Amino acid sequence: MRAMRIIQPVKEMQDFCDHNRKTGKIISLVPTMGYLHEGHLNLMREGKKRGDCLVVSIYVNPTQFGAGEDFEKYPRDIERDAEMAESVGVDVIFSPASSDMYPEHYQTFVNVETITQNLCGLSRPGHFRGVATVCCKLFNIVKPHVAIFGQKDFQQLAVIRRMVEDLNMDVEILGMPTVREADGLAMSSRNTYLHDKEREAALILSRSLLHAKKLYDDGQRDTAGILKVVTDSLEASPLVRLEYAKICDVVTLKDVTYLGNATVLALAVKVGATRLIDNYVFGDTFDVSC
């Protein structure tokens, strides 16, 4: 088995991927901000199945963090990440410097419009401009045939799919189900911020989603009724501050009043100082790949 490579210069990464494409290899990409967990590794395992060359990007992208957010304290440990990535057969880690990604006089950004005006887009202005821009750059640098994202960041997945379709990008976008801890908490690098009482309080997210699923399975289709149950549950915890609980169309991310197979319940809360998101897609007809 070949040793995993770590590449930092953009030009070197482009040359590596050009060579692999010319030799007929399928390139799969898993974009991450590092501090890997089992959810990331699950995406990588799928990437290994989907391609001949698996690239994982590790880059804490400054343009998707707003003023006062956690860019500076976001957990970073490239040595730990490299060991984890190599354990699942990653071929290359692409870990660029910001000076290479956003050099002096940089001024070009990708703005995906309507779909970013709800959910996290309301409270994090500019966030999805940063997400779309860095993913566009990663697609241009790595030139993947398939890029794999987790469904926990549902709006991010929807935004990337919209960008790829609108800009005629030649890359398949695959979404993978959320990976959870044994107690139901969605895996996230930000979970490391939680102290013990906050970690316990955070379980209300997945429990609220399960309650909503039960209501749906029992025949409830009115979104107002489901949202009231969910918000009452979330607001009952003194350590949890609700940012939003919404039920939206999975494609447009517009609020809906009737719950169908193409709808998603999306949650965002602050548990102490830590912002967490989670979601549940109702029904079983939604295909997260495109």
Side-chain angles (χ1 to χ4, degrees), residues 46-65:
E46 185 65 26
K48 198 70 179 172
K49 296 176 187 176
R50 296 273 177 160
D52 307 304
C53 177
L54 172 58
V55 178
V56 172
S57 63
I58 295 178
Y59 178 59
V60 183
N61 174 38
T63 66
Q64 68 190 69
F65 288 80

Side-chain angles (χ1 to χ4, degrees), residues 2 38 41 44-45 48 62 107 114 133 160 164 187 201:
R2 292 182 303 172
E38 183 60 31
L41 299 186
M44 295 173 201
R45 293 184 188 102
K48 198 70 179 172
Q107 53 191 292
T114 306
T133 299
I160 298 307
V164 165
M187 290 188 176

Side-chain angles (χ1 to χ4, degrees), residues 62-265:
T63 66
Q64 68 190 69
F65 288 80
E69 293 188 343
D70 60 339
F71 174 70
E72 294 298 336
K73 74 170 186 175
Y74 195 87
R76 297 163 170 87
D77 190 337
I78 189 65
E79 292 183 4
R80 168 188 175 276
D81 289 346
E83 290 180 4
M84 295 177 70
E86 192 165 26
S87 74
V88 294
V90 169
D91 295 294
V92 177
I93 288 177
F94 176 48
S95 181
S98 285
S99 58
D100 215 0
M101 294 292 279
Y102 300 104
E104 187 179 6
H105 308 305
Y106 187 91
Q107 53 191 292
T108 303
F109 294 88
V110 178
N111 187 40
V112 183
E113 295 189 347
T114 306
I115 201 172
T116 64
Q117 294 173 8
N118 200 3
L119 305 177
C120 292
L122 290 173
S123 57
R124 303 186 72 190
H127 169 69
F128 287 111
R129 185 182 82 151
V131 169
T133 299
V134 77
C135 286
C136 180
K137 290 175 70 68
L138 288 171
F139 296 163
N140 285 332
I141 295 165
V142 178
K143 305 174 181 70
H145 297 82
V146 58
I148 306 168
F149 295 82
Q151 193 176 325
K152 180 182 75 72
D153 296 300
F154 193 91
Q155 188 171 18
Q156 173 179 274
L157 174 61
V159 167
I160 298 307
R161 293 178 69 178
R162 182 79 269 148
M163 177 186 72
V164 165
E165 183 171 345
D166 289 352
L167 298 183
N168 306 106
M169 294 181 173
D170 188 19
V171 54
E172 177 189 2
I173 303 300
L174 176 65
M176 293 289 291
T178 301
V179 177
R180 299 182 180 276
E181 304 284 358
D183 57 10
L185 183 66
M187 290 188 176
S188 169
S189 300
R190 289 186 169 97
N191 289 349
T192 59
Y193 298 160
L194 302 170
H195 62 61
D196 289 347
K197 289 185 179 179
E198 291 172 342
R199 176 68 173 70
E200 178 63 30
L203 297 179
I204 194 62
L205 277 85
S206 57
R207 290 170 182 166
S208 296
L209 295 176
L210 287 172
H211 199 167
K213 177 183 182 300
K214 184 178 187 307
L215 291 172
Y216 175 85
D217 291 343
D218 289 344
Q220 173 69 279
R221 294 295 183 271
D222 176 59
T223 60
I226 292 178
L227 287 174
K228 185 178 187 311
V229 171
V230 169
T231 56
D232 286 350
S233 175
L234 292 169
E235 290 175 341
S237 172
L239 294 179
V240 175
R241 179 161 55 88
L242 178 64
E243 182 178 307
Y244 66 73
K246 294 193 172 195
I247 297 177
C248 303
D249 179 274
V250 296
V251 176
T252 67
L253 295 189
K254 292 181 178 180
D255 296 350
V256 297
T257 57
Y258 182 81
L259 207 158
N261 275 338
T263 48
V264 57
L265 169 58

